[in-house]
Amino acid sequence: MVEQSDRAPLLDWEEIPPPDPNQAAQPPPEPQRDEGTAAAGKTSHPSGRRTPTCIASGTGWSRSSCTVTSTNPITAVPTAVTYSPSRNITAVVVSRDKPSGCGFGRPEPVGTDRSYPFPGITARDQWEEKDQIVAVFVVTFDTRSGNMVEWCLPHDIDLDGVEFKSMASGSHRITSDFIYFRKGNYFGLACFANMPVENELERGARMKSVGILSPSYTLLYRYMHFLENQVRHQLQCPGQYSPLEAFYEDKKAVLPQTGNGLVTSCPTWTVVSINRCMHPEMKITHPAGCMSQFIQFFGEQIMVLWKFVLLRKRLLIFSPPPIGVVCYRVYCCCCLANVSIPGIGVSVPELRPFFYINIADISALETELSYVACTTEKIFEDKKELYDVYIDNQNVKTHRSHLQPLLRLNAADKEKYRKLSEQRQMLLYSQEVDEDCSANEEDLFILFFMELNNRIFQTLSEVAGSSDPTITADHMRAMGLDPQGDRSFLEDLLEVYGIDITLVIDNLCCS
């Protein structure tokens, strides 16, 4: 007997493998909390791939192949891991109950009231976002008309430009891809596929994308598998939309509407909780190895990107298709700016991930003060008024003369990267020797830069509140900065964050 999921209608089109009696899909247990710490696991699998999943028979929805305990409501990762840019120590604190396996699991809801705060529960523990799918759509490439929206629900939603966002320029050269993007107040995820056909009208290739829109990008990853299967389904059986209709009816958002029936606003709770309360690592689920690939790809240049991100500059990453992995680099860049000190960053421009952009986004980018985005269109390199920093492969450059000194790595930058690399190697060694999967590189990366940023802003706050608000060379060394090489960076940082402190320039070169 096939039982229907309580979270989604039965999707008969999907090929569901027979259930493994030894790996029955079960909901993960309630998080085990031990003074704010929790244990979590991680599966060892090829870098850049999402955690392998199994499908609960009859549901059409993917679940984790094993359960974990975690305080992170988005991904199953430990939250009580301490990494330090100032010490050569990696301290991993886990709960007493170690999970039997590693993987991703969905936590149990912590309550129906989404207001903040819940007494006695941390923000990360209590936050559980509801499904908020604003639209589902199919985009196709027509040999006569070009990219076009073939079908969508609701039928009256404004999807102008989505036909280009969900099918990146140059995609005809690849067989499949996935794309994160922004559309107005909403975020989208689309899966693209290219199938050869013996059809003169289609010129030998059929290309489609199936995507969704949501007020945030936090939970879009949940539907990656569904979208991948649906785009293949659309290529093989064009025009069969019933699974997409069932999906939308189950997941559609309940948002304020205008008189004409168009959803135009984003719920206040979403804006506040995602953009201000939660850290960027809460905003998107990445494949295991995402941070590791980011570190290996950019190497020491990560320290250059860190400074630009902390200064809230406009960063544009260029890459030819596929663009999906580059969307994850956008996410990784945003993680460099984490600060957990209350009040820091409130007055500065919000660092907004645009993910994939194309020429249709030019007008929107003209008004953005700070963002991180990626593109497959080389024409953007010539539009210097739209960005401050341009990243082509590992080449980071800026046309802003006052920012060019930040491109040069100094001794303090190399030391910070050395410590990050050391701690990463220690973690990998402990995972290999002790077979301990309670911590991962994602935590190391995120928490390393969070502590680095916290130390800088804590020092600046203390100096600003003292009787002598003056920064000396000793202060800079205490913050992990180079007294000479980071002088222009610190000057820009003080200006951007509105911190009233005097730099003792005379002492910087001779201390």
Side-chain angles (χ1 to χ4, degrees):
M1 178 178 178
V2 176
E3 294 182 357
Q4 183 170 334
S5 166
D6 60 351
R7 289 191 52 77
L10 179 64
L11 304 181
D12 297 321
W13 62 268
E14 188 168 12
E15 295 182 3
I16 301 174
D20 187 338
N22 297 322
Q23 292 185 349
Q26 297 178 356
E30 281 286 335
Q32 300 292 324
R33 298 181 178 86
D34 182 8
E35 297 181 358
T37 66
K42 178 183 173 184
T43 302
S44 176
H45 51 81
S47 297
R49 293 188 178 273
R50 294 176 290 113
T51 304
T53 58
C54 59
I55 307 296
S57 179
T59 65
W61 296 96
S62 60
R63 287 176 180 245
S64 172
S65 59
C66 52
T67 59
V68 298
T69 304
S70 173
T71 59
N72 189 328
I74 305 303
T75 61
V77 294
T79 57
V81 186
T82 302
Y83 304 101
S84 172
S86 58
R87 300 182 296 275
N88 293 321
I89 298 175
T90 302
V92 181
V93 184
V94 299
S95 67
R96 288 187 291 269
D97 299 324
K98 185 176 179 179
S100 58
C102 306
F104 290 106
R106 175 178 176 145
E108 293 297 322
V110 296
T112 55
D113 182 7
R114 306 302 174 188
S115 62
Y116 176 83
F118 289 110
I121 306 178
T122 65
R124 295 183 68 161
D125 287 338
Q126 68 185 254
W127 189 73
E128 166 74 10
E129 186 182 353
K130 297 178 180 178
D131 295 306
Q132 295 282 324
I133 302 302
V134 174
V136 58
F137 57 87
V138 177
V139 167
T140 188
F141 175 77
D142 183 86
T143 55
R144 291 168 295 184
S145 304
N147 294 14
M148 57 183 294
V149 177
E150 172 186 312
W151 175 91
C152 69
L153 277 179
H155 298 300
D156 57 354
I157 191 166
D158 177 18
L159 293 180
D160 184 40
V162 166
E163 66 270 26
F164 300 107
K165 295 174 182 290
S166 57
M167 195 176 290
S169 176
S171 293
H172 61 279
R173 295 190 292 268
I174 59 176
T175 58
S176 63
D177 199 3
F178 65 93
I179 308 169
Y180 281 88
F181 62 90
R182 274 187 56 191
K183 163 63 177 171
N185 290 330
Y186 303 122
F187 292 90
L189 170 63
C191 287
F192 164 83
N194 182 354
M195 183 179 76
V197 293
E198 295 181 1
N199 186 324
E200 293 184 3
L201 184 62
E202 296 178 280
R203 297 179 185 173
R206 181 177 299 160
M207 293 178 283
K208 292 181 183 288
S209 281
V210 176
I212 53 178
L213 290 180
S214 175
S216 81
Y217 52 93
T218 313
L219 301 182
L220 290 176
Y221 77 96
R222 285 183 176 176
Y223 312 113
M224 179 82 78
H225 180 68
F226 172 76
L227 297 174
E228 287 172 342
N229 280 279
Q230 273 297 289
V231 72
R232 289 193 294 267
H233 177 67
Q234 288 297 319
L235 288 175
Q236 296 165 2
C237 308
Q240 295 187 10
Y241 308 119
S242 56
L244 294 174
E245 292 170 346
F247 170 82
Y248 178 72
E249 285 303 314
D250 184 63
K251 301 295 180 183
K252 63 182 177 182
V254 181
L255 301 177
Q257 295 186 343
T258 60
N260 58 10
L262 295 178
V263 180
T264 58
S265 61
C266 182
T268 303
W269 69 266
T270 301
V271 174
V272 174
S273 63
I274 293 174
N275 292 338
R276 290 300 182 188
C277 295
M278 314 317 292
H279 299 304
E281 71 267 24
M282 301 288 291
K283 295 181 178 180
I284 188 172
T285 292
H286 46 77
C290 170
M291 297 296 184
S292 176
Q293 289 185 1
F294 183 70
I295 294 172
Q296 294 174 2
F297 186 78
F298 284 109
E300 291 181 335
Q301 290 287 91
I302 286 179
M303 306 314 303
V304 174
L305 297 177
W306 163 67
K307 294 178 185 180
F308 287 131
V309 170
L310 208 58
L311 292 175
R312 295 297 194 266
K313 299 305 177 184
R314 300 172 297 171
L315 280 69
L316 181 58
I317 306 173
F318 168 79
S319 175
I323 200 65
V325 67
V326 189
C327 290
Y328 287 133
R329 289 175 193 158
V330 171
Y331 156 73
C332 292
C333 281
C334 291
C335 289
L336 297 173
N338 278 336
V339 179
S340 61
I341 300 176
I344 296 296
V346 174
S347 61
V348 301
E350 180 187 351
L351 185 64
R352 309 188 71 181
F354 262 74
F355 297 109
Y356 175 72
I357 61 171
N358 57 25
I359 56 175
D361 294 299
I362 288 179
S363 59
L365 293 177
E366 288 174 342
T367 60
E368 289 295 324
L369 300 177
S370 175
Y371 70 82
V372 184
C374 59
T375 186
T376 61
E377 301 189 24
K378 195 71 173 177
I379 190 175
F380 273 97
E381 185 174 8
D382 298 327
K383 299 186 176 299
K384 293 181 170 57
E385 70 280 3
L386 298 178
Y387 63 84
D388 301 309
V389 180
Y390 188 82
I391 305 163
D392 185 348
N393 203 15
Q394 287 99 336
N395 183 24
V396 182
K397 57 185 179 181
T398 177
H399 58 280
R400 310 286 184 188
S401 58
H402 71 285
L403 295 178
Q404 288 177 358
L406 275 62
L407 296 174
R408 294 190 292 269
L409 288 167
N410 56 52
D413 294 328
K414 295 180 179 180
E415 176 64 13
K416 288 192 287 285
Y417 183 75
R418 184 190 66 80
K419 291 181 178 179
L420 174 63
S421 299
E422 274 188 6
Q423 294 180 20
R424 179 168 168 261
Q425 291 302 318
M426 290 171 61
L427 176 65
L428 296 176
Y429 178 79
S430 67
Q431 289 176 338
E432 180 179 352
V433 174
D434 302 330
E435 297 183 352
D436 181 9
C437 61
S438 60
N440 57 46
E441 292 181 78
E442 283 71 23
D443 292 302
L444 187 153
F445 181 89
I446 291 168
L447 296 177
F448 181 93
F449 282 97
M450 180 181 289
E451 181 179 321
L452 176 61
N453 298 337
N454 284 350
R455 184 149 49 97
I456 290 175
F457 286 108
Q458 184 64 39
T459 301
L460 294 179
S461 297
E462 291 174 356
V463 172
S466 67
S467 57
D468 182 18
T470 303
I471 286 287
T472 65
D474 289 338
H475 286 126
M476 295 193 69
R477 294 190 186 97
M479 292 186 289
L481 301 178
D482 187 294
Q484 296 182 41
D486 284 321
R487 175 173 164 240
S488 62
F489 166 64
L490 185 57
E491 289 176 339
D492 289 344
L493 196 70
L494 296 176
E495 181 180 355
V496 169
Y497 288 83
I499 302 174
D500 189 11
I501 290 179
T502 302
L503 278 173
V504 183
I505 300 175
D506 294 338
N507 291 348
L508 292 180
C509 61
C510 55
S511 299

